[in-house]
Amino acid sequence: MTTLRPRTHRLIVLALATLLAGAPGLAELGKLTGSVQADQLRLHASLRHVAFTTHVRHELTLPNGGTVREFTNPAGQVFAVRWAGPGKPDLRSLLGDHFEAFRAANVGQTGRFERLSRRPLVADGTALKVAAGGHMGYFWGLAWLPALVPPGVQPSDLQ
Amino acid sequence: MRRSAIMPRFLLAMLGSLALSGCGGSSSPSSPATPTPTPTPTATATPAAANVADVILDAGPATLSSNNAAFNTPFVTVTICAPGSTTNCQTIDHVLLDTGSVGLRIIGPVINAALLAALPPEMDNAGNPVAECYQFVTSYQFGSVRQADFKIAGETVANMPFQTVGDGGAFANVPASCSSGGGAQTATVNDLEANAILGIGSTGTDCGALCQSASNNAGALYYDCPASGCDQIIARTASTVAPFQQLPNPVAAFAVDNNGTILTLPAVPQAGAAALSGTLTFGIGTQADNHLTAATLLTLTTSQSNRGPGLLTATYKGKIFPQSYLDTGSAAYYFVDTSLTACTGGSVGFYCPPSPITLSPTLTGLNDVTASAAFTLYNPNALAAGVNVAPGLGINPEVAASMMQTNDQSFGFGIPFYFGRTVFTAIEGVDAGGTPGPYVAF
């Protein structure tokens, strides 16, 4: 998976949790970015920040080749996370309070929902959208919070 | 695998009675299903060669609930024995044959108690038993790693590590780090719609180099399991020979015929069939019956690929899908094409072309060889009652979130691709008929 060590998980979780709690701010973004940089050194991972006109991408590349990309809006709120790599990330941490809703959306019918057409895991609510997929030994996905997405930004912009 | 089965709800009721007439119990030798509605060819004789196993697609294990019949699922029969024993053995039918995963994974309760008690767990450096979490795309399986003497057709592996899914005791609780990837836990025959999975994909082990470091979480996670339960992720060696650590590809672990497989299945008419029989031949270029005769050979990505192992590049309507694959464990073609008519109601998720449409994807290997993978897309609503096998079904993997565009790199060719073909799958790192694996050829 996009291997996040516990501390990295926690930091991203903190950022997302703050975001989800509705009390984000630039200070949180600064803290997140600095902490991720510290983890970058510890994990021997590479980190890049790329600024777009509508948002900023923070990309952590992990030793196993996996990536986690966080996207922040002009207010410093993490509004989307995209992952890809040779394992599944800790979505319980990445999605925070939304994880249970995501899980329920995919297992709430004793597995029949997903077996029905074997489509990858999804959440399609108004507060949270998740799509995920993959193949043997490689998994990807995108989670986003529609309410926080900068105007004009589409999922395809979040590469 | 990308599964389990894809049975649309509208077919479930139709198939209820069929499932009741399915195969013998999970602990008895395989007795291929003889569904009543549609006469179809079934295996007429056990192949004589020691390297050939029968393959059948039918309604699945007899113990499946009647509304949960298997669909487009290839099954084989295997035997496991307590290490060194020739009497404490069990033949397990309806084992899902999966080229989209690696390793043998048996639903725990399928194994009879006397045998299970005699199957030793793998032990770690701390002297504790080992468990594994294995991630499929939409689900995960957790359970102990045990060792058994394994046999399929005439091929054997002594002391082979396999996963006992849904095991009890110290293995009863799923670690948070296993379930946090999301999806459903697969722990029962009903969950899996099979008694076990036989993963014979293109890699030698189920995790490879990634799991040789405890910090490199991957699609497989191995755990230290003291009596208090499993929590700590541990490193496990990738090896296809004893003493094993990771689950090996059982084919790679054979003493002979260990460089790949050849799956041969007949074509299936548009109307589908109640059952389908074919063969799985072990080895490529190792015996008189397994020469590399395919017209086209496409090399695959290896475990070292940053996209994952076993991949081809598909080209479809001018678009490139660099993370495409062949997978017997997928029941349909998985691809996104919003220009096609989508099904609604009970078959939502499938494509519902008003009339059959020929689609013409091509497949390109790393060796730059390109082959046609054209197929005719059919409407699942046209299938009759009693059908357990059907060609040409397509699924949009993003139907509920089509804006997300997370699957725009991948075109999955499921079991319908194999209908009417002989497909060679060569394992990574070994010569197979004069060409090193991994490759597929057909």
Side-chain angles (χ1 to χ4, degrees):
Chain A
M1 68 183 213
T2 38
T3 307
L4 295 177
R5 298 209 183 192
R7 180 146 176 256
T8 313
H9 283 300
R10 192 165 59 249
L11 292 166
I12 292 174
V13 174
L14 279 173
L16 265 180
T18 305
L19 163 66
L20 299 174
L26 287 171
E28 297 300 323
L29 175 62
K31 182 178 177 184
L32 168 67
T33 302
S35 302
V36 171
Q37 284 172 332
D39 277 331
Q40 172 210 354
L41 297 174
R42 193 165 57 82
L43 289 168
H44 307 290
S46 65
L47 175 64
R48 290 200 307 160
H49 309 279
V50 181
F52 298 84
T53 55
T54 51
H55 62 278
V56 178
R57 182 179 76 203
H58 312 271
E59 176 179 335
L60 189 62
T61 302
L62 298 149
N64 70 357
T67 58
V68 169
R69 294 169 180 173
E70 296 175 81
F71 300 87
T72 51
N73 63 19
Q77 299 166 307
V78 178
F79 66 89
V81 177
R82 183 184 287 277
W83 65 90
K88 293 180 181 177
D90 183 354
L91 295 179
R92 184 178 276 113
S93 295
L94 287 174
L95 302 184
D97 291 342
H98 289 278
F99 178 76
E100 285 306 317
F102 168 63
R103 197 165 66 93
N106 290 285
V107 304
Q109 303 176 40
T110 62
R112 173 51 63 184
F113 168 84
E114 63 178 15
R115 286 205 299 273
L116 175 63
S117 62
R118 268 292 303 157
R119 58 178 167 262
L121 305 174
V122 297
D124 201 22
T126 54
L128 172 74
K129 292 187 184 298
V130 182
H135 45 75
M136 178 174 71
Y138 198 88
F139 306 90
W140 58 72
L142 172 65
W144 79 348
L145 301 168
L148 300 182
V149 176
V153 172
Q154 298 298 319
S156 55
D157 298 326
L158 306 177
Q159 300 298 330
Chain B
M1 69 170 184
R2 292 177 55 109
R3 55 177 8 268
S4 300
I6 58 160
M7 181 61 66
R9 281 198 180 90
F10 71 97
L11 283 176
L12 295 176
M14 302 178 189
L15 288 167
S17 60
L18 187 62
L20 295 175
S21 64
C23 305
S26 60
S27 61
S28 61
S30 177
S31 134
T34 52
T36 49
T38 309
T40 48
T42 54
T44 54
T46 300
N51 66 331
V52 180
D54 289 325
V55 177
I56 187 161
L57 291 83
D58 64 9
T63 54
L64 276 184
S65 65
S66 60
N67 66 345
N68 199 24
F71 181 78
N72 268 5
T73 308
F75 294 110
V76 293
T77 296
V78 306
T79 300
I80 57 169
C81 297
S85 174
T86 56
T87 55
N88 192 3
C89 297
Q90 184 174 348
T91 297
I92 301 173
D93 64 29
H94 287 101
V95 176
L96 194 165
L97 180 68
D98 186 19
T99 61
S101 70
V102 163
L104 175 66
R105 306 169 196 285
I106 304 174
I107 299 297
V110 168
I111 304 171
N112 72 60
L115 176 57
L116 185 63
L119 299 175
E122 266 199 346
M123 306 300 278
D124 63 20
N125 293 338
N128 295 320
V130 174
E132 186 191 16
C133 172
Y134 191 79
Q135 300 283 358
F136 293 99
V137 177
T138 67
S139 62
Y140 59 89
Q141 297 186 344
F142 181 77
S144 61
V145 176
R146 294 173 186 265
Q147 292 177 280
D149 288 352
F150 170 79
K151 182 177 182 182
I152 180 167
E155 311 283 6
T156 59
V157 183
N159 294 305
M160 187 182 81
F162 73 99
Q163 186 186 31
T164 304
V165 178
D167 209 351
F171 314 103
N173 294 324
V174 177
S177 51
C178 176
S179 60
S180 65
Q185 182 184 10
T186 299
T188 67
V189 171
N190 227 34
D191 290 340
L192 185 62
E193 296 176 334
N195 290 321
I197 302 178
L198 182 66
I200 56 165
S202 61
T203 61
T205 64
D206 72 346
C207 189
L210 286 170
C211 286
Q212 296 192 144
S213 165
S215 62
N216 252 349
N217 293 359
L221 299 169
Y222 285 92
Y223 290 90
D224 169 59
C225 295
S228 56
C230 313
D231 179 46
Q232 186 70 37
I233 295 171
I234 56 174
R236 302 300 279 171
T237 300
S239 173
T240 59
V241 297
F244 303 98
Q245 289 211 35
Q246 294 178 20
L247 265 60
N249 182 327
V251 174
F254 292 160
V256 294
D257 306 324
N258 54 16
N259 57 5
T261 56
I262 309 167
L263 179 60
T264 299
L265 292 174
V268 181
Q270 178 184 351
L276 188 75
S277 293
T279 58
L280 179 69
T281 303
F282 300 111
I284 298 173
T286 61
Q287 308 283 351
D289 65 358
N290 61 16
H291 294 309
L292 179 55
T293 54
T296 306
L297 186 152
L298 307 176
T299 53
L300 306 172
T301 60
T302 70
S303 321
Q304 278 69 54
S305 167
N306 60 13
R307 289 175 285 159
L311 301 178
L312 299 159
T313 294
T315 303
Y316 172 69
K317 293 188 176 178
K319 192 173 179 331
I320 306 295
F321 298 80
Q323 299 195 38
S324 299
Y325 53 88
L326 309 184
D327 178 13
T328 61
S330 291
Y333 294 91
Y334 285 79
F335 61 103
V336 177
D337 183 348
T338 53
S339 75
L340 297 172
T341 304
C343 300
T344 57
S347 52
V348 66
F350 288 82
Y351 292 110
C352 274
S355 59
I357 304 175
T358 298
L359 303 178
S360 303
T362 60
L363 285 168
T364 303
L366 290 185
N367 55 352
D368 285 332
V369 173
T370 295
S372 170
F375 64 97
T376 303
L377 183 71
Y378 295 119
N379 187 322
N381 292 331
L383 294 175
V387 166
N388 292 320
V389 187
L393 300 183
I395 285 175
N396 180 345
E398 301 212 340
V399 62
S402 57
M403 286 184 55
M404 303 297 278
Q405 301 189 4
T406 58
N407 286 275
D408 56 356
Q409 302 289 300
S410 183
F411 196 127
F413 296 81
I415 191 71
F417 174 85
Y418 292 77
F419 296 161
R421 282 191 167 102
T422 290
V423 180
F424 295 69
T425 302
I427 294 170
E428 183 173 324
V430 293
D431 180 275
T435 301
Y439 66 76
V440 293
F442 50 89

